[in-house]
Amino acid sequence: MSDVVEKTLTALPALLALDSQPGAAKLSSTSKLGHLIRSITELSSKHEEEKLISKELAAIKDQISSPNTTMRQMRELMVRAMYCEMLGYEADFVYIHAIKLAQQGTVLEKRVGYLAVSLFLNESHELLLLLVNTVLKDLQSTNLIEVCMALTVVSQIFPKDMIPAILPLVEEKLSHPKEIIRRKAVLALYKFYLIAPNQVQHIHGKFRKALCDKDPGVMTSSLHIYQQLIKSPASYKDLTGSFVTILRQVVGGKLPLDFNFHSVPAPWLQIQLLRILSLLGREDQSTSELMYEVLDESLRRAEMNHNITYAILYECVKAIYTIHPKADLLEKAARCIGNFVLSPKINLKYLGKDATSIFLLKPDNLHNLTVCT
């Protein structure tokens, strides 16, 4: 059996709490889920897999309908059903039981129930309406884990028509003392914005508050919303200074080391901020002037030594050529394009050619082009 399968089997009990015994590290040979996974990996044809899964689903259906099935057994059955669904086999008979598990179980059962619901159902599924009251109750719970689970499922799947019922509770969580709750609330509101933007127009002020949150995770979550909102930038020009300040702090390594990737400070956050700044500075000289210094610093600090820094440099170049031009920045960006094109790495050559095409969209910048062709 491959190392990947072995690692998966080792991790599953801790992830899904299939074994409540302390120190239980692996799926035992008698575990039905472990046996199922091992059996599938040993098959040699799709036909054999279909036959095995059909037999497994029949056994799950028989046991899950039994009145003698305990909650712990229900949890284990649900995980096996999820595994079958992930392989592409429909197990629609367990959907209602997944909702019941989220409604009636302890925290462990709720965890598996919510996970199953988010996997089995989509936003338009009629059974999802049965979960609304459970979500409402859990959002008002004093148990931090229950609140987290409710916000997680809301940010993944939730009926659009039911958003008004829970929106006040989600808004309230933006002021929660725990940063993980605030972060999940922001992501839930982001989901609401994607599926029903008109229903969250009135809380843009709270998005701004999240942008200035002391926790970098909450602030980062709010950027997803602003990257959508600023596609119409006129109403958000006043936030340019905030985005510039955040980018300066990120580039300067002010965020916790957890955000670093290959010693690069929060690279994906840098990329997001650069895209936002390019939208805000387009054809606006006064706004562009606010970001010249931080763009110069970003370009200078991102050395060409790793794929992620290439991505940052590329976004810097795009931003510099999108906003109102500044001669010395254009020259530095053109030099960066030259380094891409002259690189022995094929991917960087293509990156340079793509950046050149952006540059050539502004004919008045041609005199700054130092790329050798």
Side-chain angles (χ1 to χ4, degrees):
M1 189 181 301
S2 71
D3 290 342
V4 174
V5 174
E6 285 293 353
K7 289 178 181 178
T8 302
L9 296 180
T10 301
L12 278 172
L15 178 64
L16 299 168
L18 292 177
D19 196 331
S20 57
Q21 297 300 318
K26 291 189 176 183
L27 286 175
S28 68
S29 58
T30 58
S31 164
K32 291 184 178 180
L33 177 61
H35 178 71
L36 174 62
I37 295 174
R38 288 186 173 90
S39 297
I40 289 175
T41 57
E42 292 168 359
L43 297 177
S44 58
S45 70
K46 182 68 174 176
H47 176 70
E48 290 178 350
E49 180 184 290
E50 291 173 352
K51 187 176 179 181
L52 176 63
I53 295 296
S54 296
K55 183 178 178 182
E56 178 70 16
L57 289 176
I60 293 173
K61 186 174 183 179
D62 184 58
Q63 190 174 354
I64 209 168
S65 304
S66 170
N68 299 322
T69 302
T70 65
M71 277 294 185
R72 190 177 187 282
Q73 291 172 327
M74 185 69 74
R75 191 171 75 229
E76 198 262 349
L77 290 167
M78 198 61 60
V79 173
R80 284 159 57 195
M82 280 192 281
Y83 185 73
C84 293
E85 281 257 345
M86 289 168 64
L87 292 176
Y89 300 91
E90 191 169 302
D92 53 357
F93 60 88
V94 303
Y95 295 176
I96 187 65
H97 296 284
I99 291 175
K100 288 179 180 178
L101 201 60
Q103 290 173 335
Q104 302 170 1
T106 63
V107 171
L108 287 178
E109 278 83 41
K110 274 182 175 291
R111 184 182 185 187
V112 175
Y114 273 132
L115 178 62
V117 167
S118 64
L119 176 66
F120 293 151
L121 308 183
N122 56 51
E123 291 161 2
S124 59
H125 201 288
E126 57 186 11
L127 285 179
L128 202 56
L129 293 174
L130 300 176
L131 197 66
V132 173
N133 285 337
T134 304
V135 170
L136 281 169
K137 184 183 73 173
D138 288 342
L139 284 175
Q140 299 174 77
S141 173
T142 56
N143 187 315
L144 188 67
I145 298 175
E146 290 182 350
V147 177
C148 282
M149 289 189 293
L151 287 171
T152 299
V153 80
V154 162
S155 64
Q156 292 174 341
I157 53 165
F158 202 75
K160 182 164 61 173
D161 296 339
M162 292 291 104
I163 289 177
I166 66 165
L167 184 57
L169 291 173
V170 177
E171 288 182 54
E172 182 184 297
K173 297 298 179 286
L174 290 173
S175 302
H176 198 278
K178 290 291 185 180
E179 60 275 3
I180 189 172
I181 299 295
R182 300 199 301 275
R183 192 183 317 157
K184 287 181 177 291
V186 170
L187 292 175
L189 291 173
Y190 174 56
K191 176 67 173 182
F192 294 167
Y193 176 80
L194 292 178
I195 63 176
N198 293 334
Q199 298 191 35
V200 294
Q201 291 292 336
H202 65 288
I203 57 172
H204 284 194
K206 294 186 178 180
F207 291 160
R208 293 181 178 231
K209 183 180 178 182
L211 182 66
C212 301
D213 195 281
K214 61 183 179 181
D215 180 74
V218 179
M219 176 271 294
T220 303
S221 300
S222 70
L223 290 180
H224 294 293
I225 297 174
Y226 278 107
Q227 202 165 347
Q228 294 290 329
L229 295 176
I230 293 175
K231 289 179 179 178
S232 301
S235 303
Y236 303 96
K237 298 284 187 179
D238 60 315
L239 287 174
T240 304
S242 298
F243 291 120
V244 167
T245 300
I246 294 170
L247 181 56
R248 184 175 288 114
Q249 291 176 346
V250 173
V251 171
K254 302 297 184 183
L255 294 188
L257 293 178
D258 291 345
F259 285 82
N260 288 8
F261 180 76
H262 285 269
S263 301
V264 180
W268 288 277
L269 184 54
Q270 288 192 53
I271 289 170
Q272 268 190 311
L273 288 163
L274 288 167
R275 289 174 178 172
I276 288 171
L277 290 178
S278 67
L279 290 171
L280 290 170
R282 187 192 300 271
E283 299 177 356
D284 187 330
Q285 182 175 355
S286 59
T287 302
S288 297
E289 288 173 352
L290 297 174
M291 57 186 78
Y292 287 153
E293 185 180 340
V294 75
L295 288 176
D296 190 12
E297 187 177 358
S298 298
L299 202 61
R300 177 170 49 83
R301 285 179 179 263
E303 300 175 358
M304 289 186 61
N305 58 7
H306 192 275
N307 283 342
I308 195 63
T309 57
Y310 303 150
I312 294 172
L313 287 169
Y314 177 72
E315 291 297 335
C316 278
V317 169
K318 281 180 64 177
I320 288 168
Y321 290 138
T322 301
I323 66 174
H324 190 275
K326 184 183 181 185
D328 62 329
L329 276 180
L330 291 173
E331 184 178 346
K332 291 176 182 178
R335 194 177 300 121
C336 182
I337 294 176
N339 291 335
F340 281 148
V341 173
L342 296 174
S343 170
K345 298 179 180 179
I346 298 298
N347 286 344
L348 292 188
K349 286 183 182 293
Y350 278 111
L351 197 63
K353 289 183 180 294
D354 191 60
T356 302
S357 67
I358 298 168
F359 184 90
L360 293 176
L361 291 176
K362 291 191 173 183
D364 54 321
N365 292 333
L366 286 176
H367 67 281
N368 290 296
L369 189 60
T370 59
V371 179
C372 298
T373 56

